[in-house]
Amino acid sequence: MRQTIVHGPAFADLRPLKEATFVEPGRTTFPVHPELPRLLREDKDHPDPAGVLPHTMATLAAYAYAGYEQGADADTVAMMATRLGLERNRCRVFEQRVDALYIASAAYLIQDEDRRIAILCYRGTQPEDIISILTDADVRPETLAVDLDGTDYAVHAGFYRNMRATRYLILQALERAVRGESIDPDEQGTRGPGLEALYITGHSLGAAMAALMAVTLVHEPRYAHIARRLRAVYTFGQPMLGGPDLARACENTVDSNGTHLLRDRLLRYIYDRDVVPALPPRPVGPYAAFGREFHFRRPRRAVDAVFTAAADAAAEAAAFPGDLLTGVNPLRRLRRMGAIPGRAREEGWIERVEPALPYPQMDSLAGLAVVAPLAFFAARLALTRTLPFKYSFDDHGPAHYVNALAPPGVLSEYGDVR
């Protein structure tokens, strides 16, 4: 296990040659979100109407990939937390790697200067790291070791093992935060009332670990004092964790605050045709998502929308013969096909609520092995960029989530202005 602790810079440290002007009329300069500490402390509906919190979480989840030679980079994450609005934060990273067990786990815990806010951010799958990729492929079911209404549930083994690899040290640090202590053990004493608001976030594999940590906190009685501070979980490009029975149990559970946190405050963001939220594919077993779903659709030309709807319908129809083998209800398939043209006409972020259908589990391995890679390469060329592929690896990139979630007036995480 490797740990690193850094102290985030002050605003002035990141703007040594500029005036200390934070907000100009009608546009944001620096920090990117001056109101961020207040919004994080408030216990209001999620996501916030201004879109500050989703953008903040997506940015931290993206920069959790920072590092060298597969090691984490706490300095970069602490710097970005300051740029976003958390000046002089404390950032502690927990890493564990066991290649033979497909463990490549890294989590950043960020604490604000007043010790009232904490953000737990998990790193996702590193594209150049074969062990990290094999973690995603380890789809064997493993029993979830928490008490869910007296029933045992199976979850994705790779995700669960990586979350547990760093869990106990994270919980020890959160205990310090609850008491008003610094997450840096070298800093002594307490400050203020202690932790008031906890957030968990991540992208891809990191999103899966974030969701599993939330499940653990909500369902384990011994962690109730920490779970009471959990305001929301924001995930980006999150794969599914377990079967429909697990999803129902999570959505039905009420936490110690009397909130259906895993149903109402676990927010899953999906960018356009991101392939990962459709995984694992149905041939490895039935999986289902839980929480609230927000789906972003890029603007398309009218002809693209027509071809997109036709391609989606053809793909759904081609999977009909497999329904008898996989147990998919053909009526459900028809309902999904009927919903496709309407989806193609939408643009921007749309929350999927009943009776709209959620992002579906991939029905065959062809989408993962053929369609998504083709879409990735097609996106590199101007002539094929708008071709209607059902899934795309390119849409999984964390930068897409950061850019699509930037609120009006925010050009980038660096506080750029025109």
Side-chain angles (χ1 to χ4, degrees):
M1 181 75 73
R2 180 169 60 185
Q3 298 184 61
T4 305
I5 303 171
V6 302
H7 292 195
F11 293 143
D13 296 333
L14 299 181
R15 292 168 57 90
L17 301 179
K18 295 186 178 181
E19 299 177 3
T21 301
F22 299 120
V23 180
E24 297 177 5
R27 57 181 179 175
T28 300
T29 56
F30 185 84
V32 177
H33 300 304
E35 73 279 25
L36 180 59
R38 175 184 61 81
L39 288 175
L40 289 169
R41 289 193 303 268
E42 289 179 347
D43 190 13
K44 294 188 176 181
D45 292 337
H46 293 273
D48 61 296
V52 170
L53 298 186
H55 179 249
T56 295
M57 300 302 162
T59 303
L60 292 175
Y63 279 90
Y65 287 99
Y68 303 93
E69 297 181 351
Q70 300 170 359
D73 182 1
D75 287 294
T76 293
V77 174
M79 177 194 69
M80 294 312 304
T82 291
R83 287 192 176 280
L84 290 166
L86 296 179
E87 185 180 24
R88 298 188 183 90
N89 62 81
R90 302 293 183 261
C91 181
R92 183 172 175 181
V93 60
F94 309 87
E95 297 178 86
Q96 186 174 90
R97 188 178 182 90
V98 186
D99 289 359
L101 296 176
Y102 305 152
I103 294 175
S105 181
Y108 296 84
L109 183 61
I110 303 163
Q111 182 185 44
D112 76 316
E113 184 180 18
D114 294 332
R115 303 179 186 175
R116 301 169 66 184
I117 301 163
I119 302 173
L120 176 59
C121 181
Y122 284 93
R123 185 182 67 195
T125 304
Q126 296 171 287
E128 79 289 355
D129 183 0
I130 185 61
I131 298 302
S132 184
I133 294 170
L134 287 173
T135 292
D136 296 338
D138 188 6
V139 297
R140 295 169 300 159
E142 186 166 323
T143 300
L144 185 68
V146 296
D147 183 13
L148 296 173
D149 58 32
T151 305
D152 293 332
Y153 296 94
V155 295
H156 186 292
F159 302 157
Y160 193 35
R161 189 181 302 113
N162 272 260
M163 186 276 289
R164 287 187 294 178
T166 53
R167 178 178 62 182
Y168 74 99
L169 285 178
I170 291 171
L171 290 170
Q172 288 178 4
L174 287 174
E175 286 276 3
R176 293 181 59 89
V178 167
R179 296 192 297 264
E181 300 174 15
S182 171
I183 60 173
D184 181 352
D186 291 336
E187 291 186 303
Q188 303 300 316
T190 60
R191 181 180 302 167
L195 180 64
E196 296 178 18
L198 169 65
Y199 293 82
I200 309 179
T201 190
H203 171 267
S204 191
L205 165 63
M209 290 194 286
L212 281 170
M213 173 58 95
V215 172
T216 300
L217 290 177
V218 170
H219 287 286
E220 286 274 13
R222 69 185 120 172
Y223 304 142
H225 61 298
I226 298 175
R228 279 195 291 271
R229 277 88 174 171
L230 181 56
R231 297 289 172 79
V233 183
Y234 287 81
T235 71
F236 308 93
Q238 178 199 317
M240 290 173 275
L241 310 178
D245 51 351
L246 172 68
R248 283 191 295 271
C250 290
E251 295 215 336
N252 290 335
T253 297
V254 178
D255 65 13
S256 57
N257 291 328
T259 301
H260 285 85
L261 191 141
L262 299 176
R263 183 192 69 190
D264 300 333
R265 295 202 173 190
L266 191 151
L267 292 78
R268 296 180 295 107
Y269 288 82
I270 301 172
Y271 181 82
D272 208 43
R273 294 176 178 264
D274 186 348
V275 65
V276 173
L279 301 177
R282 193 175 301 279
V284 305
Y287 277 72
F290 55 90
R292 295 166 62 190
E293 179 180 304
F294 296 81
H295 191 189
F296 181 84
R297 304 291 288 184
R298 285 180 295 185
R300 286 181 170 85
R301 299 171 301 177
V303 65
D304 292 329
V306 172
F307 279 117
T308 297
D312 282 353
E316 297 287 352
F320 252 124
D323 290 347
L324 297 177
L325 297 177
T326 59
V328 175
N329 185 338
L331 294 177
R332 182 174 179 271
R333 170 88 61 190
L334 287 170
R335 182 179 171 219
R336 188 190 304 169
M337 288 172 62
I340 289 170
R343 294 207 314 262
R345 288 193 297 267
E346 296 171 355
E347 295 180 7
W349 288 106
I350 302 294
E351 182 174 5
R352 296 289 172 205
V353 295
E354 289 291 344
L357 292 171
Y359 206 69
Q361 184 181 8
M362 185 181 293
D363 286 312
S364 71
L365 294 175
L368 183 61
V370 179
V371 178
L374 282 176
F376 176 83
F377 290 109
R380 314 266 78 78
L381 304 174
L383 291 176
T384 57
R385 192 163 292 151
T386 61
L387 286 179
F389 290 95
K390 186 173 180 60
Y391 301 110
S392 171
F393 280 125
D394 183 70
D395 285 354
H396 187 56
H400 289 309
Y401 288 91
V402 176
N403 295 335
L405 285 164
V410 175
L411 300 183
S412 82
E413 63 271 24
Y414 286 91
D416 299 325
V417 295
R418 288 191 175 94

